[in-house]
């Protein structure tokens, strides 16, 4: 609402006392005319109902970190992948000997990259789909599920350990040209004894 302005006559009556000076009545008049300063706005903080959403926060953060880690590792693998695969190749990471069967090295897959981190006991392989997969059903699994790829681990003493099963890390697409990232892992205390890995498609 717009404040009404007092007339000059009203100001004269309020401000000028009998003796021609501003007295107590004049000061009271100033207050009544609305010349006193307005009250400052409220500074109370706004309380949000969900200011502390703790339920599930740590679980969500762990999931986001896992996704970031997988994305970063795949980018590193793809950036270092060679232009072609081979049925038998030495590893640049971990210094072990790799061998792949024909299904993984020529058709329907081609090995684009393989690596072994001896410190963590982790194996990573990038497979490129180069032809239609005869039986794609075992490959149509979510990330983290096993795929039909197994390996025999060769040890430094010349013996071979039990079969190692690979899991899908990333890459649900299966059409020619797609890249599948598969992974496997052994306990770090066993990684030091590994000298080679023979990888192939599991036969039902």
């Amino acid at each position: 609402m717009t404040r009404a302005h007092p007339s000059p006559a009203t100001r004269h009556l309020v401000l000028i006392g009998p003796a021609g000076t501003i007295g107590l009545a004049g000061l009271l008049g100033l207050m009544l005319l609305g010349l006193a300063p307005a009250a400052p706005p409220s500074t109370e903080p706004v309380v949000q109902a969900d200011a502390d959403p703790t339920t599930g926060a740590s679980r969500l953060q762990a999931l986001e970190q896992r996704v970031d880690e997988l994305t970063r590792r795949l980018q590193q693998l793809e950036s270092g992948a060679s232009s072609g695969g081979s049925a038998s190749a030495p590893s640049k990471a971990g210094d072990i000997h790799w061998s792949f069967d024909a299904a993984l090295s020529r058709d329907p897959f081609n090995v684009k990259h393989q690596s072994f981190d001896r410190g963590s006991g982790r194996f990573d392989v990038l497979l490129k789909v180069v032809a239609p997969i005869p039986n794609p059903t075992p490959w149509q699994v979510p990330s983290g599920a096993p795929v039909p790829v197994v390996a025999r681990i060769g040890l430094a003493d010349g013996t071979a350990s039990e079969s190692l099963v690979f899991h899908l890390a990333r890459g649900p697409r299966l059409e020619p040209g797609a890249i599948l990232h598969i992974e496997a892992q052994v306990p770090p205390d066993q990684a030091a004894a590994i000298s080679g890995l023979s990888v192939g498609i599991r036969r039902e």
Side-chain angles (χ1 to χ4, degrees):
M1 177 181 297
T2 303
R3 182 183 302 156
H5 294 285
S7 66
T10 304
R11 288 199 191 96
H12 181 78
L13 291 175
V14 171
L15 296 178
I16 306 301
T21 60
I22 299 176
L24 179 60
L27 293 176
L28 180 60
L30 290 176
M31 296 177 62
L32 293 177
L33 290 174
L35 298 180
S42 175
T43 57
E44 295 183 0
V46 178
V47 178
Q48 298 180 0
D50 56 348
D52 188 22
T54 57
T55 303
S58 59
R59 185 165 44 195
L60 177 60
Q61 183 179 11
L63 179 59
E64 291 175 344
Q65 291 176 349
R66 173 63 175 165
V67 171
D68 291 342
E69 178 186 352
L70 285 175
T71 302
R72 183 168 56 255
R73 185 162 60 246
L74 180 60
Q75 291 174 345
Q76 292 173 348
L77 290 174
E78 290 178 339
S79 64
S82 59
S83 58
S86 61
S88 179
S91 171
K92 294 182 181 179
D95 192 25
I96 64 173
H97 183 272
W98 293 75
S99 64
F100 299 90
D101 69 2
L104 292 178
S105 61
R106 292 193 294 272
D107 187 0
F109 299 101
N110 186 267
V111 178
K112 302 296 294 180
H113 178 82
Q114 70 277 344
S115 65
F116 173 50
D117 183 355
R118 197 178 291 275
S120 64
R122 183 184 182 85
F123 301 91
D124 288 281
V125 177
L126 291 184
L127 298 174
K128 182 176 182 179
V129 183
V130 296
I133 302 174
N135 181 20
T137 302
W139 297 89
Q140 296 170 340
V141 296
S143 296
V147 293
V149 176
V150 295
R152 295 283 292 177
I153 299 175
L155 302 178
D157 60 4
T159 61
S161 70
E162 61 185 17
S163 295
L164 182 68
V165 178
F166 276 80
H167 294 71
L168 181 66
R170 184 175 176 180
R173 295 171 48 221
L174 299 176
E175 68 273 12
I179 298 290
L180 299 180
H181 176 194
I182 61 176
E183 61 184 3
Q185 190 158 3
V186 297
D189 58 348
Q190 299 178 12
I194 297 176
S195 61
L197 199 69
S198 178
V199 191
I201 297 290
R202 182 179 65 241
R203 307 300 177 184
E204 301 295 342

